[in-house]
Amino acid sequence: MFAGIEDERFYHHKGVDYELVLEARRRPELAPAVHALYDRYLDATRRELARIGLADDEPLVRLVVAALDGLGIQMLGYGRVDEADAVPPA
């Protein structure tokens, strides 16, 4: 369903992303890096949704990013990348 999600690099980077988010809670000077990270995710999601004809729907953009974030946490929690395969295709 998600291109590249089976890649171990994706799995590693999601872990780094979440570590950064958690560390930013303790060290507010890291907040700009977290905001930049999520801004890139939001921008990429906007582009892809617009590409398939779903432009100008900010609540949908945020929902998609939140869903992907949740899947990333689940994959890290289960300790394996193949958990994404359990998601039924849309």
Side-chain angles (χ1 to χ4, degrees), residues 4-8 10-12 75 79-85:
I5 208 165
E6 69 283 349
D7 188 331
E8 283 297 322
F10 175 85
Y11 181 75
H12 171 76
M75 287 187 322
R80 57 185 195 264
V81 177
D82 62 347
E83 277 307 303
D85 292 337

Side-chain angles (χ1 to χ4, degrees), residues 18-31:
Y18 295 127
E19 291 291 335
L20 176 62
V21 170
L22 292 173
E23 188 63 23
R25 294 185 64 202
R26 293 182 284 276
R27 297 178 45 204
E29 69 271 17
L30 295 176

Side-chain angles (χ1 to χ4, degrees), residues 11-62:
Y11 181 75
H12 171 76
H13 287 292
K14 288 313 295 175
V16 171
D17 292 351
Y18 295 127
E19 291 291 335
L20 176 62
V21 170
L22 292 173
E23 188 63 23
R25 294 185 64 202
R26 293 182 284 276
R27 297 178 45 204
E29 69 271 17
L30 295 176
V34 172
H35 296 168
L37 174 71
Y38 277 95
D39 286 345
R40 284 194 306 272
Y41 289 154
L42 291 165
D43 289 343
T45 302
R46 268 186 215 98
R47 281 192 308 274
E48 290 305 307
L49 290 175
R51 188 177 62 80
I52 61 170
L54 297 172
D56 298 325
D57 191 341
E58 193 61 22
L60 179 61
V61 169
R62 297 214 171 248

Side-chain angles (χ1 to χ4, degrees), residues 1-2 49 52 54 64 84 86-90:
M1 177 173 182
F2 304 108
L49 290 175
I52 61 170
L54 297 172
V64 169
V87 179

